[in-house]
Amino acid sequence: KSYTPGLKILENTKTTKERILPLKGEVHVTENEIVNSSKIVASTNIPGNVHMVNIANELNVDAKDVSTFMLLNENDTVSKNQIIAKNKGFFGFFKTEVRSPVDGSIINISDVTGQVVISEKPLSIDVDAYIPGLVSSVIDKEGVIIKSNGTFIQGIIGIGGEKQGILKVLIDSHNKRITKKELIENHNNNNLKDKIIVCGDFIDYEIYKIALDLGIKGIVCGGFDYDDVSKILGKSLGVAITGTENTMNLILTEGFGEIEMAERTFNILKKNDGKMVSINGATQIRAGVLRPEIFIKSDKEEMSKEFNEDNLIISEGSIVRIIREPYFGEIGEVVSLPPKLVEMKSETKVRVAKIKLSNKNEEIIPRANLEVILSE
């Protein structure tokens, strides 16, 4: 058996999502409850940063006497620059005042160290459902597991975190490239603000910037220039995880360069034009592959079969994508899987597959350079 990374393009599949808090908190839904994608399912508070103020040093007093000079008590709220302690000075002169460096609350006054501990206001964290579906189980004080049935499409590279919006397909073919004029006209006619738009072919940085200015939440397209991604991020993409960027989402279904979207992927998205979708651009290339994704809930009530890891096995007839040069981005069918190791130009011996490309040519490709395209 030969396993490869799998690119899921599934029209009717069961999807499971864990929605877990970073710290224990409160869960707001119950088991078997139906939720929409924007429903807040759990929330918690992350403690704010802690600041130490040395009152004894500031007032030049003994640590054991600090509490007598305090104007506030433990658990009192305090504003930035508010006076929290002061001494009387000498004969009413040379008074010294100590002010709070931040907004927050006093959590400790120590008569041992002479210090006051001030905590900034806690940060409220809300976790939404992300996908519409059924709450299949509740993890007490931690989160929930949501199951849903629908279309699940993975891309190659993405930026931006979780977002939801109406899907709007702007072109009529997987290999058509949208123009600046067409994008603006479409916005004037349909108001693309807060929508997730589909552009079948490659888009350039100018199109991205226009979409950003129009308030579009995300773009799904075939390809994009690598250097332009670095422009958006303000740094080189590298191999680290993406998804935390505070910007419009960008999901590339095929990869970097002037690559058109796979026809099957485009047709599935076209079929769901006008529906609410959930997208996540988070990508990790190494140390555990994480793909950007698009999820669209099915209109059918019944659950379909869940994805099986055995589907990642390469076999004769498998549809695969080549993920390295010189055939990067090409899609083909596995004709055969020669059992013997084959020596490549690099003089390394590897297991290979014979692939029939879309132009009907057959090429020998290392199996490590392939990923299965999982579809019905």
Side-chain angles (χ1 to χ4, degrees):
K1 294 182 179 179
S2 178
Y3 288 84
T4 72
L7 191 70
K8 300 175 186 176
I9 305 173
L10 304 168
E11 261 194 280
N12 192 35
T13 187
K14 182 162 64 176
T15 298
T16 301
K17 290 291 180 184
E18 289 188 349
R19 308 300 290 162
I20 305 298
L21 293 167
L23 294 174
K24 287 193 174 184
E26 184 180 358
V27 176
H28 305 300
V29 294
T30 58
E31 195 169 316
N32 295 321
E33 185 175 339
I34 302 294
V35 295
N36 59 34
S37 58
S38 59
K39 172 71 175 178
I40 301 301
V41 296
S43 59
T44 190
N45 288 318
I46 295 180
N49 293 329
V50 171
H51 297 261
M52 312 290 288
V53 182
N54 197 320
I55 302 296
N57 279 358
E58 294 284 343
L59 299 183
N60 194 25
V61 298
D62 290 336
K64 61 183 175 61
D65 297 325
V66 160
S67 59
T68 63
F69 295 94
M70 291 295 299
L71 302 181
L72 297 171
N73 301 313
E74 288 184 5
N75 300 319
D76 284 351
T77 57
V78 63
S79 302
K80 185 176 182 179
N81 292 324
Q82 181 179 347
I83 299 172
I84 59 174
K86 67 178 181 179
N87 62 18
K88 296 178 181 178
F90 296 99
F91 305 105
F93 298 101
F94 309 110
K95 293 180 181 178
T96 303
E97 299 174 338
V98 181
R99 298 175 182 270
S100 171
V102 293
D103 294 328
S105 60
I106 295 175
I107 60 175
N108 182 257
I109 300 172
S110 175
D111 59 4
V112 176
T113 64
Q115 296 192 102
V116 169
V117 182
I118 301 176
S119 175
E120 293 182 21
K121 292 179 180 178
L123 176 65
S124 178
I125 299 292
D126 293 326
V127 174
D128 63 20
Y130 173 56
I131 63 172
L134 174 76
V135 179
S136 64
S137 63
V138 172
I139 305 169
D140 187 37
K141 297 182 180 179
E142 293 186 28
V144 300
I145 296 174
I146 295 175
K147 288 189 177 180
S148 191
N149 195 60
T151 295
F152 187 80
I153 297 173
Q154 289 182 317
I156 299 294
I157 296 288
I159 58 173
E162 297 174 352
K163 290 186 176 69
Q164 296 92 26
I166 299 297
L167 189 71
K168 184 64 180 173
V169 181
L170 301 187
I171 34 78
D172 55 14
S173 173
H174 69 105
N175 56 6
K176 182 178 178 182
R177 187 172 301 185
I178 194 165
T179 65
K180 172 183 173 181
K181 180 181 178 183
E182 288 172 331
L183 178 57
I184 294 173
E185 285 180 352
N186 208 301
H187 174 70
N188 292 337
N189 295 331
N190 301 291
N191 187 10
L192 299 178
K193 188 176 186 300
D194 293 331
K195 290 186 170 61
I196 313 295
I197 65 171
V198 176
C199 307
D201 204 333
F202 169 89
I203 67 163
D204 58 25
Y205 185 67
E206 184 181 21
I207 293 291
Y208 178 91
K209 286 291 291 179
I210 293 171
L212 183 64
D213 292 340
L214 293 177
I216 290 167
K217 279 190 175 179
I219 297 178
V220 182
C221 61
F224 195 75
D225 188 84
Y226 175 85
D227 291 333
D228 286 340
V229 172
S230 300
K231 255 192 234 180
I232 295 169
L233 300 179
K235 60 182 180 181
S236 177
L237 180 62
V239 295
I241 190 170
T242 70
T244 58
E245 301 82 13
N246 184 23
T247 186
M248 178 179 66
N249 282 36
L250 176 65
I251 294 179
L252 311 181
T253 62
E254 315 307 314
F256 293 118
E258 298 191 16
I259 313 173
E260 63 191 41
M261 186 180 292
E263 188 170 8
R264 172 174 170 74
T265 303
F266 176 81
N267 289 341
I268 292 175
L269 292 171
K270 182 72 174 176
K271 191 185 298 184
N272 289 282
D273 189 24
K275 291 185 178 180
M276 178 64 74
V277 300
S278 301
I279 64 171
N280 187 358
T283 307
Q284 183 166 290
I285 301 171
R286 293 184 182 174
V289 175
L290 180 65
R291 299 285 196 189
E293 63 184 32
I294 304 162
F295 178 80
I296 309 160
K297 191 177 186 308
S298 172
D299 296 328
K300 299 177 182 178
E301 294 298 328
E302 69 275 8
M303 286 285 186
S304 59
K305 291 183 178 180
E306 199 160 7
F307 168 72
N308 190 321
E309 290 295 329
D310 286 344
N311 294 336
L312 293 176
I313 299 173
I314 281 189
S315 58
E316 291 183 9
S318 294
I319 303 301
V320 295
R321 183 197 306 272
I322 303 172
I323 58 175
R324 288 186 178 85
E325 295 292 355
Y327 301 103
F328 174 77
E330 291 270 3
I331 295 174
E333 179 181 344
V334 177
V335 176
S336 65
L337 295 166
K340 293 184 178 180
L341 297 175
V342 174
E343 186 172 320
M344 308 305 291
K345 289 181 180 178
S346 61
E347 297 184 357
T348 57
K349 291 185 177 182
V350 298
R351 296 201 180 278
V352 299
K354 181 182 286 188
I355 308 297
K356 181 188 286 185
L357 303 178
S358 56
N359 60 9
K360 307 302 181 183
N361 290 343
E362 294 186 357
E363 301 291 344
I364 299 297
I365 307 292
R367 296 186 197 180
N369 293 0
L370 302 173
E371 63 182 2
V372 175
I373 297 180
L374 302 171
S375 58
E376 296 84 4

